[in-house]
Structures are given as C-alpha cells and as structure tokens.
Amino acid sequence: MIAYDKRTTMRIEAPPSMVQLATEALMRMLLSGKLQPGDRVVENQLTQELGVSRPPLREAMRVLEQQGLITQQPRRGAFVTRLTLHDIYEIVTLRRELERMAVDLGVPVREPARLQRCHAALDRHEAAARSGDWLGVLEQAVEFHSSVIGLSGHRRLEEAYRSIQLQMLLCMGMNRQARASGESLVDDWDRHRRLLEVIEAGSPEAVHRELAGHGDMTFLDGIEERVGGHTPESLAWLKRVREGDT
C-alpha cells in the first residue's frame, strides 16, 4: 500500500494483515454496541459476518483477550468482558502517568520527524471528523495520543502505552458518547489541534495543564451508577477527579 500526506514524501506501507483487520472489526463491534459487555462471542457467526476464516479470527480474539476485553470461560466459551470501575481507574491513571512522563521527556520537541507524526495523525483525525466517521475519530484520537507519547523517543514507554491502547479506546468511546450532545466530531478534532499547538509552543508545564483540562474524562460523570466493581481505591480516585485533583 502506498500512502501520501502533505508533510512527508511518498512511503510504502505494508497492507494490514487479516488478524489486524479482524481485530479492528471486533473493536468496531464493541464500540458501536453491536457486541455488548457480557455477550457471548460466537465464532461461527463472526466468521460469516466478518468474512474471515477461523485462524485470524481466533488470533484477533486472543489479542482482545490479552487486553482484557474478552474473557474465556471454561466449557462456556468467550464473552465480552464487563469493565468495572476499578478497571477504568487503572486504565485512566496509567494513561495519565505515561502521558506525563512522555511530555516531560519529549517537550520541547527535539526531533522534527516526531512532530510530523503528530501532524499526520491529526490530519487523519480531521478527515474522519469531517466525513462524520465517529469510529474513525476515536481510532485516530488514540493514534494522535500515541504520537504524543512518541515525542519522548522512549520505545519502551510507547510499548507500555500501546499495551493498553484497546482498553483506552473503549474509555474514549464512552467519553465520545458522553460529549456527543455538546461537542461535534469537528470540535473533537479541534480540541486535539489545540493540544498540538500547546505542544509546539514548547512548555511542558503548559502541556500538562492542557491535558488536565482536555475533556477526556467527561464519561466519569455518574460512572459508578453504570458499572460495578467498586473498590476503595477506585472510589477514592473518582472523588479526587471530581474535586479537580487529578
């Protein structure tokens, strides 16, 4: 596959594998609500619906299982995992700490190519927003934030961030739904554009402030009434978030 963007020369990209395509298709089913928490994941049905054979589908299911999004139950099969409040607490707080570290290491930006990656992700985000593709907006928002992590030049940090990427995508999906009535898809892109402008200005402290008010935790309003799995740690964290101490 040959890809172009306005900031880079022509480059050749490997086509996505069937496992990658199957994983993306399953994630879209999760994000759209076609697969709900607690639903059984039926292989026969999905091979027909997605047009893939069993081997790549099973590999895709293993990817989601490693991310904690699918649970295998002995003699019962595979089920979509129900995210708990403690799961959300762990995902959000780990993401925050990884982003803080990346900003401290990567801002001001020293390698222009790293910044070009952010712009390329933001361009794809804008294209999805202007075409009304809300699932594409979510996917490109994740890619944009991954490119921000990449500003650090710290490979293991980005690998750690990637390890929870699909879990973050679910949280961002809930956040997109929570903000949908007051923020359009283009507004979503514009929020990320502002973040990139602050990054380019070169102050780590300013980037931290922008991330703190980025609006990516709107979905936590009333979250404890919608999910189970309350723990002392998750409830104490939720209280701190609502008091503005994140």
Side-chain angles (χ1 to χ4, degrees):
M1 179 182 297
I2 298 177
Y4 303 83
D5 67 58
K6 62 187 178 185
R7 294 179 178 83
T8 61
T9 57
M10 182 179 75
R11 66 188 188 280
I12 298 176
E13 295 180 340
S17 68
M18 288 304 296
V19 173
Q20 181 182 346
L21 292 172
T23 303
E24 291 173 356
L26 286 174
M27 278 304 302
R28 283 181 167 250
M29 292 178 76
L30 290 173
L31 291 166
S32 67
K34 195 166 188 178
L35 279 175
Q36 296 278 347
D39 283 354
R40 188 178 179 193
V41 183
V42 183
E43 285 188 19
N44 286 340
Q45 179 181 333
L46 288 173
T47 54
Q48 295 178 8
E49 190 167 343
L50 301 180
V52 297
S53 61
R54 282 181 181 272
L57 177 62
R58 286 178 175 171
E59 283 299 317
M61 289 172 62
R62 271 194 280 271
V63 170
L64 297 187
E65 184 180 5
Q66 290 167 358
Q67 286 268 336
L69 303 182
I70 284 180
T71 303
Q72 292 283 352
Q73 298 184 12
R75 296 181 297 279
R76 296 193 62 211
F79 293 81
V80 179
T81 305
R82 298 181 188 273
L83 276 187
T84 68
L85 183 61
H86 193 85
D87 292 328
I88 294 169
Y89 149 69
E90 289 191 351
I91 295 164
V92 172
T93 53
L94 180 55
R95 173 190 175 186
R96 273 286 186 262
E97 290 307 311
L98 294 174
E99 287 185 333
R100 284 190 180 107
M101 183 177 175
V103 169
D104 288 339
L105 291 173
V107 179
V109 181
R110 292 176 292 278
E111 294 287 341
R114 296 174 188 168
L115 204 53
Q116 288 173 355
R117 179 182 166 196
C118 293
H119 278 286
L122 194 63
D123 286 347
R124 293 192 298 271
H125 191 167
E126 181 182 14
R130 295 196 184 281
S131 67
D133 178 7
W134 73 271
L135 288 173
V137 164
L138 289 178
E139 292 162 354
Q140 294 309 321
V142 169
E143 286 303 315
F144 172 77
H145 281 277
S146 294
S147 71
V148 172
I149 296 291
L151 294 174
S152 66
H154 194 301
R155 179 172 57 84
R156 286 175 174 81
L157 175 59
E158 187 165 359
E159 286 174 355
Y161 197 78
R162 289 280 185 186
S163 74
I164 59 168
Q165 179 170 308
L166 298 184
Q167 298 172 52
M168 287 190 299
L169 191 55
L170 281 185
C171 290
M172 292 174 79
M174 288 189 281
N175 199 62
R176 178 67 246 150
Q177 292 174 15
R179 296 179 67 87
S181 62
E183 180 185 74
S184 70
L185 296 181
V186 173
D187 291 337
D188 186 294
W189 161 76
D190 195 52
R191 179 159 49 91
H192 290 81
R193 180 192 58 77
R194 290 195 304 273
L195 174 58
L196 185 53
E197 285 183 350
V198 176
I199 288 170
E200 290 183 302
S203 167
E205 294 77 15
V207 178
H208 288 313
R209 288 194 298 272
E210 185 68 22
L211 281 169
H214 188 57
D216 54 357
M217 291 197 286
T218 304
F219 76 102
L220 295 178
D221 293 344
I223 190 68
E224 70 273 36
E225 298 169 9
R226 301 195 302 274
V227 300
H230 302 177
T231 62
E233 296 87 354
S234 61
L235 290 170
W237 162 74
L238 195 58
K239 184 174 183 289
R240 291 195 301 273
V241 169
R242 289 173 178 166
E243 291 174 347
D245 181 15
T246 58

